[in-house]
């Protein structure tokens, strides 16, 4: 009988044959394939692909109307990710930045409710910024409006802006942020490949007003619209409606240096205090009028009437 080979000899010979037969695979880098210490770029040119993802969340103790508004925004953005409520007082932006990183998102819409009355919207690009803080007014959800429009969920919207966005630098920055956050990426797996509704952003009285319209086209064969003919195309409002009052624009994500501050902004707390002072002023005016009347009566007494004791015995 012949001698048996040792397992170590067999393994060495098998490895030697494998190294001779298969060449070494080049390493892959961010710029391409690396061969012999030199980086070889990939032959197929890859264009820009929008991989925008938006995290939508809210603070605790949010009002039911504002929660419904947040859910309406979630239904309008197929490229968003919804998360649980966040404690707004203890976070200071750190928790939100961590959540955005964990969800692999690049933007964030944070609905912050204070005193069960005031709604603030944070619109931020994470993690480097910038970020904007808005006060949300004139809120009307889809459930409240009950309008006749009804577009398909997940379809890509057409973003339209008024001409005021091109006047000042801060409006241009807000236009770019809104375009990146509300614009659905092309060929997104949850989106439809066509447009059937329009997002309208218009500036009136230094406020951004949002409207959502459905593009309505007649479906009958007799009324069928020809290619390029927009005479019979109409817009039907779907909802929701809300108004954004910009407060501050920060250089970082949920904070940082202040790039712009609205000089015409008045906080809702100050408005409520002025209303209370006006109500208190009405009562103070009544008290002052009574004291004035008493002082006038004391300083100007009536003359005694000569016929006062005429019918007394």
């Amino acid at each position: 009988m012949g001698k048996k080979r040792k397992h170590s000899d067999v393994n060495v010979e098998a490895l030697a044959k494998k190294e001779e037969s298969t060449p070494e695979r080049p390493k892959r880098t961010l710029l391409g394939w690396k061969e012999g210490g030199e980086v070889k770029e990939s032959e197929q040119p890859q264009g820009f692909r929008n991989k925008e993802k938006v995290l939508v969340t809210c603070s605790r103790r949010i009002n039911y109307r504002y929660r419904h508004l947040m859910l309406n925004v979630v239904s309008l953005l197929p490229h968003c990710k919804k998360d649980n409520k966040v404690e707004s007082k203890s976070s200071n932006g750190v928790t939100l930045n961590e959540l955005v990183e964990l969800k692999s998102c690049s933007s964030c819409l944070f609905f912050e409710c204070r005193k069960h009355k005031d709604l603030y919207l944070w619109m931020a690009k994470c993690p480097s910024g910038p970020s904007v803080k808005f006060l949300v007014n004139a809120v009307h959800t889809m459930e409240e409006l009950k309008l006749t429009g009804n577009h398909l969920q997940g379809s890509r919207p057409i973003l339209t802006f008024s001409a005021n966005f091109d006047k000042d630098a801060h409006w241009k920055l807000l236009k770019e942020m809104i375009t990146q956050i509300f614009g659905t990426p092309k060929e997104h797996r949850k989106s439809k490949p066509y447009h059937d509704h329009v997002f309208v952003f218009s500036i009136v009285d230094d406020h951004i007003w949002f409207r959502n319209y459905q593009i309505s086209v007649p479906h009958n064969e007799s009324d069928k619209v020809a290619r390029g003919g927009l005479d019979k195309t109409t817009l039907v409002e779907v909802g929701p409606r809300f108004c954004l009052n910009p407060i501050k624009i920060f250089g970082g994500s949920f904070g940082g240096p202040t790039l712009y501050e609205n000089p015409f902004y008045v906080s809702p707390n100050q408005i409520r205090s002025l209303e209370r002072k006006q109500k208190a002023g009405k009562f103070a005016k009544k008290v002052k009028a009574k004291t004035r009347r008493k002082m006038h009566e004391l300083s100007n007494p009536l003359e005694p009437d000569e016929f006062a004791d005429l019918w007394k015995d």
Side-chain angles (χ1 to χ4, degrees), residues 203-216:
I203 299 176
V204 180
D205 297 332
D206 293 330
H207 290 62
I208 300 176
W209 297 80
F210 173 81
R211 294 291 184 270
N212 180 25
Y213 296 97
Q214 177 197 358
I215 303 173
S216 179

Side-chain angles (χ1 to χ4, degrees), residues 49-55 74-82 103-106 153-157 180-195:
R49 184 178 179 184
N50 187 5
K51 296 183 179 180
E52 185 77 24
K53 294 179 184 178
V54 183
L55 177 68
V74 169
S75 64
L76 293 176
L77 303 179
H79 61 288
C80 74
K81 293 185 177 181
K82 185 177 175 296
K103 293 287 185 177
S104 66
C105 297
S106 56
Q153 186 175 5
S155 59
R156 298 178 61 202
Q180 294 184 17
I181 292 176
F182 285 87
T184 304
K186 188 179 180 181
E187 299 178 358
H188 191 271
R189 61 186 182 86
K190 290 185 179 180
S191 67
K192 306 299 185 295
Y194 48 82
H195 306 273

Side-chain angles (χ1 to χ4, degrees), residues 27-283:
K27 295 181 180 180
R28 187 172 186 178
T29 61
L30 294 175
L31 301 177
W33 298 94
K34 187 175 182 181
E35 293 182 358
E38 296 182 357
V39 177
K40 183 180 178 181
E41 296 183 0
S42 56
E43 298 178 357
Q44 297 179 355
Q46 295 181 356
F48 171 74
R49 184 178 179 184
N50 187 5
K51 296 183 179 180
E52 185 77 24
K53 294 179 184 178
V54 183
L55 177 68
V56 181
T57 183
C58 63
S59 62
R60 295 189 180 275
R61 295 172 293 276
I62 192 172
N63 195 0
Y64 73 96
R65 293 185 68 246
Y66 300 149
R67 187 177 69 252
H68 291 173
L69 175 66
M70 183 192 68
L71 294 177
N72 293 153
V73 173
V74 169
S75 64
L76 293 176
L77 303 179
H79 61 288
C80 74
K81 293 185 177 181
K82 185 177 175 296
D83 199 75
N84 297 328
K85 297 179 181 179
V86 181
E87 189 67 37
S88 60
K89 293 183 179 179
S90 62
S91 62
N92 294 325
V94 179
T95 308
L96 291 169
N97 287 326
E98 291 178 356
L99 282 175
V100 171
E101 186 178 359
L102 288 173
K103 293 287 185 177
S104 66
C105 297
S106 56
S107 304
C108 181
L109 290 176
F110 178 56
F111 292 83
E112 183 181 4
C113 185
R114 295 182 181 177
K115 296 185 178 180
H116 299 277
K117 300 177 182 178
D118 309 326
L119 179 64
Y120 297 90
L121 174 62
W122 284 87
M123 192 181 296
K125 297 291 293 183
C126 302
S128 58
S131 58
V132 192
K133 185 179 182 181
F134 296 99
L135 174 67
V136 185
N137 295 320
V139 175
H140 298 281
T141 61
M142 290 183 182
E143 293 78 11
E144 293 175 350
L145 293 174
K146 296 180 180 178
L147 299 173
T148 56
N150 183 21
H151 61 79
L152 191 63
Q153 186 175 5
S155 59
R156 298 178 61 202
I158 299 174
L159 303 182
T160 60
F161 298 89
S162 61
N164 305 342
F165 279 95
D166 297 329
K167 288 185 177 181
D168 298 327
H170 62 280
W171 293 122
K172 291 180 181 178
L173 177 60
L174 291 178
K175 179 180 178 181
E176 183 62 29
M177 290 187 65
I178 291 171
T179 304
Q180 294 184 17
I181 292 176
F182 285 87
T184 304
K186 188 179 180 181
E187 299 178 358
H188 191 271
R189 61 186 182 86
K190 290 185 179 180
S191 67
K192 306 299 185 295
Y194 48 82
H195 306 273
D196 67 343
H197 65 290
V198 183
F199 288 167
V200 180
F201 297 91
S202 56
I203 299 176
V204 180
D205 297 332
D206 293 330
H207 290 62
I208 300 176
W209 297 80
F210 173 81
R211 294 291 184 270
N212 180 25
Y213 296 97
Q214 177 197 358
I215 303 173
S216 179
V217 181
H219 298 285
N220 299 331
E221 290 295 332
S222 59
D223 299 336
K224 194 171 182 181
V225 178
R227 187 177 182 85
L230 301 178
D231 298 336
K232 297 182 180 180
T233 304
T234 58
L235 296 178
V236 184
E237 188 174 356
V238 182
R241 295 177 179 177
F242 56 87
C243 174
L244 300 178
N245 184 12
I247 303 173
K248 284 185 179 181
I249 300 177
F250 300 97
S253 178
F254 297 100
T258 303
L259 302 180
Y260 170 77
E261 185 174 359
N262 190 2
F264 305 105
Y265 170 71
V266 181
S267 65
N269 293 329
Q270 190 174 355
I271 294 173
R272 284 191 289 266
S273 66
L274 290 174
E275 290 177 354
R276 286 195 297 268
K277 286 180 181 179
Q278 288 179 356
K279 291 180 181 178
K282 291 181 181 179
F283 179 74

